[in-house]
């Protein structure tokens, strides 16, 4: 094998073995390996600032954390999943009263000892703000009783059984490990 790499016209490098090719790929493919500690600290500080402000992390930022800071990745993933759960619950709220109850329970359910408390407060507040700005909150009736009265007046004939299901996500007991554990196969052996 003889590969010639033209990085620059004056800088030509020849690779003659598979070992040299693997070494070349490892050196060029691992950009963060070349990063200084100061650069890594800047990236992680920027990510931390986004988490503190409740902003959603980009896919690249999540991938960076997954590869180079798994502990921070677990925290970010947990916070992101909690935000998605609250968002999903708010989408299915049938009244302003129910939406307010979802918001209150999400905020009150955060333990004082939770290491992600600051991040969770920020992300829930962002989700609530987006929910209010979207106009979906304003379209909801004040109470469920008002919604039932509107349905009777409009003559709605069909009833959706899924509306009664509570897709509540347990925000307190969720962790990334729970998700991994739940997705693992189970085996049973009879004696």
């Amino acid at each position: 094998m003889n590969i010639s790499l033209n990085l620059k016209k004056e800088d030509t490098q020849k690779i003659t073995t598979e070992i040299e090719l693997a070494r070349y790929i490892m050196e060029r493919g691992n950009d963060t390996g070349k990063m200084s500690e100061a650069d890594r600290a800047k990236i992680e500080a920027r990510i931390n600032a986004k988490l503190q402000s409740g902003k959603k992390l980009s896919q690249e930022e999540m991938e960076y954390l997954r590869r180079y800071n798994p502990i921070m990745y677990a925290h970010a993933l947990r916070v992101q999943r909690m935000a998605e759960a609250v968002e999903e619950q708010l989408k299915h709220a049938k009244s302003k009263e129910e939406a307010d109850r979802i918001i209150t329970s999400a905020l009150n359910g955060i333990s004082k000892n939770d290491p992600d408390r600051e991040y969770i407060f920020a992300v829930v507040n962002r989700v609530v703000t987006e929910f209010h700005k979207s106009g979906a909150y304003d379209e909801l009736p004040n109470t469920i009783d008002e919604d039932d009265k509107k349905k009777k007046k409009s003559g709605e004939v069909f009833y959706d059984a899924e509306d009664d299901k509570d897709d509540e996500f347990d925000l307190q007991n969720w962790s990334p490990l729970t998700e991994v554990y739940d997705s693992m196969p189970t085996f049973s052996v009879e004696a």
Side-chain angles (χ1 to χ4, degrees), residues 4-9 11-13:
S4 178
L5 300 173
N6 280 335
L7 304 171
K8 295 177 186 171
K9 298 230 182 211
D11 181 29
T12 303
Q13 181 179 359

Side-chain angles (χ1 to χ4, degrees), residues 1 10 12 17 22-23 35-36 42 48 52 59 61 68 71 85 95 121 127 152 163 166 173 175-176 190:
M1 166 175 21
E10 65 275 351
T12 303
T17 66
R23 191 174 298 128
M35 274 190 212
S36 68
K42 284 180 187 177
N48 195 31
Q52 287 175 339
Q59 188 65 32
E61 291 166 331
Y68 301 106
I71 294 171
S95 68
F121 267 120
V127 168
K152 287 179 184 176
D163 290 343
D166 286 334
N173 295 321
S175 78
E190 295 182 23

Side-chain angles (χ1 to χ4, degrees), residues 64-78:
Y64 172 85
L65 290 177
R66 187 185 68 74
R67 289 181 72 194
Y68 301 106
N69 193 339
I71 294 171
M72 194 172 182
Y73 173 75
H75 291 288
L77 185 63
R78 178 174 177 248

